[in-house]
Amino acid sequence: MRGKLITVCGIFLLILTSVFAGDRADFINLGFIDQNEAFLYGQYGMDEDGTYFYADVVYHDLQTGETPSALIQSKRYPLIELDGGSTLPAMLQSVQEYLSVNPVPVDFTRTGVMLYSRLPGTGSGDVVSFKDYTQNKDYELSLTLLPRVRTPGTSTKMAITLRQYNPEGTLTRYDAGSLVRPLEGVYDVRLANVYSDPERNYLVMVFQTSEFDDETESVDARYLVKSIALN
């Protein structure tokens, strides 16, 4: 396994999104871990009151399709501690702290291939079409959310169906998610981005979630990742 490849300049190049007003997180693709063991990503922002920055570093296991809670690092940084008006230092500090504790072989050149990108995203019942031009494969992704009517404070059950149209004319269908196990506290889910690893073994779907915050009585926008093994 390769050692950690981490440079501050490299991370700066990965920050492509702008900071949104309010408690709405930005997403950062930190890359596919060597041998496609996992997909590492971060989400970061500032609380609505402007008193602290938050930064999460999340490890999504591609082999199991799960996101182990023990490998999620959530940090809060007082505004005065970082001495600035940008959330970027908080994210950089969290990544460095995470990799110092969890020796995962991150290679920031393996951010994968963007196959779909749209914000605020596509919701339940919609069908998203995108293409992998390198392999000449077309995809259709549909998202099912239950119950059909969801309000802040409720939870959502989610299922994903992916259809892969192969060059030879065959169709392969994949399913992910579960309509049995709810996403506690999440009342809306929208597809934001789709990535593939460089070898095209996995499809990683990034969803923007809406969760009602009881403390501030407002809606927090965060991110959730699901993956599908293609081979």
Side-chain angles (χ1 to χ4, degrees), residues 113-117 127-133 136-142 160-165 191 193-196 202-205 228 230:
V113 181
M114 174 80 77
L115 297 180
Y116 174 84
S117 179
V127 177
V128 174
S129 299
F130 52 92
K131 186 180 184 71
D132 185 340
Y133 288 95
N136 194 30
K137 292 182 179 180
D138 293 286
Y139 293 93
E140 287 183 352
L141 189 151
S142 59
I160 305 160
T161 301
L162 177 73
R163 295 176 179 85
Q164 174 183 286
Y165 297 91
L191 178 67
N193 303 318
V194 177
Y195 297 94
S196 176
Y202 292 92
L203 209 63
V204 170
M205 298 153 288
I228 292 176
L230 298 178

Side-chain angles (χ1 to χ4, degrees), residues 194-213:
V194 177
Y195 297 94
S196 176
D197 64 285
E199 293 76 29
R200 305 304 202 277
N201 292 320
Y202 292 92
L203 209 63
V204 170
M205 298 153 288
V206 180
F207 296 92
Q208 187 182 66
T209 65
S210 297
E211 182 174 350
F212 186 73
D213 189 326

